[in-house]
Amino acid sequence: MKTTTLIALYLLALSGTSPLYAQSNKLVPLKERVNVQADSARTNQIIDGRWVGVGTGKPHTIRLDYTRPFQGKPSYRFELKQEDNTLEGYSAGETKGRAELCYCYATANDFRNLPASEYSSAQKMKTVYHYGKGSCPQGSSMSYTFSVYIPGTLDKEVSTIFAQWHGMPSRTLVSDPSGKVMRLTTEEFLELEKRMIFKKDTAYDKVMKINAKGDTIYKAGKANGWLIEQGGYPPLAFGFSQGYFYIKSNSDRKWLTDKTDRCNASPDKTEVLKPVTSTYKASTIAYKMPFESFPKDCWVTFKVDIDWTVYGREKQTIRKLGMLDVVMTYPQSGKEIKKHIVDNEQILIGRNDEEGYYFKFGIYRVGNSTIPVCYNLAGYEEHEKVSPK
């Protein structure tokens, strides 16, 4: 290589314009967001060939972090500031904040061999993601791995979920004003949708109005007594709350979820592996440790094995208990520390849906908290669990 070329490359590096130099100092915003239930992901919205962003789209909320790589690749940096809550909480006046990467989504390609009406129907039923990648079947056995980097500056009073598994409810499961539960066909649901607006699990009369521009719009009128399946608490969550790091499993064997049943174990009050129960639900703190004891300023890797609980569908029974196993690994004083924090415990974990489960990680700030949150996640992998021979 000529001397002049070497000098030019050296000057580019000093100026910060060489690719390696530029990337090593970069936090690159990932601003695209997808409503995975109601929309397919466009090519420019797919991150690293496997994720889509969900939640608030402010530039600081999800970023590729070249300053904190994981296994030679940039990690994902998640941040919510005090004013970044954009969702209604579970109780009146509460707020929640979300900035996550979702592993499950559909693309236009998933609908290419289906009738033209299939996509628009799935949008109305909010089941678009059922057609895509990233979910596992109901009652399956799976292995998951991911890593989190918690900075020592994170406030111990945060209330955030950094990894969670969700169910995939079917909104064609409904109850009429008399309380009769039924599974509608797609055509029956679409007829219902013509005259109703659904907010969460509640149906309202669809009222036609003309706005100031002369356009026809539809607004929600009175609640009409119909309910639709909308889901509930995540069947499995890893997070920080009430001064603890915790792992919580939730189970709901009711065929049509009762959203008024708030059976939910509290990290500070609930004993480990002592489920809080209602008639149909169980909520279990599978593990907890004081926030101060959680390893900071290093990568902490979790290996999670799950046998999802098998449910009896319309019979609303438990056909087979689930199982949860979690190993936590991190460096300390030059050594690798490996802790078996949940040891093949039989547990109720899952939802009584026909569909299965999917993974998200990032920040899901709950409990009306507005405490700033910032940490990194990386290294996600999933596969069917290999049974010992």
Side-chain angles (χ1 to χ4, degrees):
M1 186 178 290
K2 292 182 179 180
T3 303
T4 53
T5 304
L6 288 171
I7 293 172
L9 288 173
Y10 178 71
L11 291 173
L12 280 171
L14 286 179
S15 66
T17 56
S18 74
L20 290 176
Y21 183 91
Q23 288 183 350
S24 67
N25 291 277
K26 268 192 175 181
L27 292 171
V28 180
L30 301 171
K31 294 184 284 187
E32 292 290 335
R33 299 291 182 268
V34 179
N35 181 342
V36 297
Q37 288 86 4
D39 200 5
S40 60
R42 281 54 172 172
T43 301
N44 69 309
Q45 295 173 318
I46 299 172
I47 299 164
D48 292 338
R50 58 191 348 218
W51 303 101
V52 293
V54 297
T56 179
K58 293 181 180 180
H60 64 269
T61 56
I62 306 177
R63 289 184 278 187
L64 267 181
D65 190 348
Y66 287 88
T67 72
R68 183 159 290 144
F70 180 83
Q71 295 180 347
K73 297 180 180 179
S75 61
Y76 303 109
R77 184 182 192 270
F78 300 88
E79 181 179 7
L80 288 184
K81 299 180 181 179
Q82 183 175 347
E83 66 276 11
D84 286 338
N85 282 7
T86 58
L87 303 171
E88 291 182 7
Y90 292 115
S91 304
E94 276 192 355
T95 61
K96 299 182 290 186
R98 165 176 282 153
E100 297 174 294
L101 292 180
C102 180
Y103 197 70
C104 178
Y105 58 87
T107 66
N109 198 44
D110 295 310
F111 291 87
R112 71 187 185 283
N113 295 323
L114 299 174
S117 61
E118 192 88 9
Y119 179 65
S120 61
S121 297
Q123 284 187 302
K124 292 173 182 177
M125 294 187 293
K126 295 189 176 181
T127 56
V128 173
Y129 65 144
H130 288 203
Y131 294 79
K133 53 82 68 181
S135 66
C136 69
Q138 183 64 255
S140 58
S141 296
M142 297 291 293
S143 291
Y144 307 90
T145 304
F146 64 93
S147 299
V148 62
Y149 188 107
I150 302 298
T153 55
L154 186 67
D155 193 316
K156 70 176 183 179
E157 298 302 322
V158 294
S159 187
T160 179
I161 294 171
F162 60 79
Q164 58 179 315
W165 288 256
H166 266 268
M168 302 176 74
S170 173
R171 287 161 64 88
T172 59
L173 184 63
V174 304
S175 68
D176 66 13
S178 72
K180 179 183 178 182
V181 176
M182 63 196 95
R183 184 69 181 266
L184 303 180
T185 65
T186 297
E187 292 73 21
E188 289 170 334
F189 179 87
L190 295 177
E191 283 299 313
L192 209 65
E193 193 267 343
K194 288 178 182 177
R195 55 191 176 90
M196 298 182 192
I197 289 176
F198 306 111
K199 294 185 177 182
K200 296 186 177 180
D201 66 334
T202 304
Y204 301 82
D205 293 332
K206 185 180 284 187
V207 180
M208 185 180 74
K209 293 190 176 184
I210 307 297
N211 67 13
K213 296 180 179 179
D215 300 324
T216 300
I217 59 172
Y218 296 92
K219 292 192 173 183
K222 293 181 179 179
N224 54 34
W226 285 81
L227 296 173
I228 62 172
E229 180 60 71
Q230 199 251 338
Y233 293 123
L236 183 63
F238 285 54
F240 298 102
S241 186
Q242 299 165 333
Y244 286 92
F245 159 64
Y246 69 91
I247 300 172
K248 182 191 299 186
S249 76
N250 290 305
S251 169
D252 184 2
R253 63 182 175 87
K254 193 169 176 61
W255 188 225
L256 178 66
T257 298
D258 179 4
K259 294 285 283 189
T260 66
D261 181 356
R262 293 299 179 191
C263 176
N264 192 22
S266 172
D268 66 335
K269 296 177 181 177
T270 308
E271 290 183 50
V272 171
L273 297 173
K274 300 291 184 183
V276 175
T277 61
S278 62
T279 303
Y280 294 99
K281 296 184 179 182
S283 183
T284 307
I285 300 297
Y287 178 78
K288 64 180 178 179
M289 73 161 61
F291 178 86
E292 292 85 352
S293 301
F294 190 90
K296 312 292 195 309
D297 298 316
C298 65
W299 285 107
V300 180
T301 296
F302 294 97
K303 184 179 182 300
V304 184
D305 287 345
I306 305 173
D307 293 340
W308 295 101
T309 295
V310 180
Y311 298 90
R313 298 197 176 186
E314 294 94 337
K315 294 180 180 179
Q316 303 185 135
T317 56
I318 301 294
R319 293 175 51 204
K320 184 181 178 183
L321 283 171
M323 187 281 301
L324 180 63
D325 188 78
V326 183
V327 175
M328 174 181 176
T329 307
Y330 57 93
Q332 187 179 78
S333 302
K335 297 181 180 179
E336 182 184 80
I337 305 299
K338 191 172 185 178
K339 293 183 177 180
H340 204 161
I341 57 177
V342 184
D343 190 359
N344 289 289
E345 295 289 347
Q346 281 198 328
I347 203 165
L348 287 168
I349 179 170
R351 287 179 43 80
N352 191 9
D353 298 326
E354 287 194 14
E355 301 292 337
Y357 307 95
Y358 68 100
F359 179 80
K360 294 190 296 183
F361 66 8
I363 297 173
Y364 185 50
R365 185 167 60 185
V366 294
N368 211 32
S369 175
T370 57
I371 294 172
V373 185
C374 184
Y375 44 67
N376 289 51
L377 288 150
Y380 180 71
E381 298 293 340
E382 67 170 53
H383 56 82
E384 289 187 26
K385 194 173 71 173
V386 178
S387 300
K389 294 181 181 181

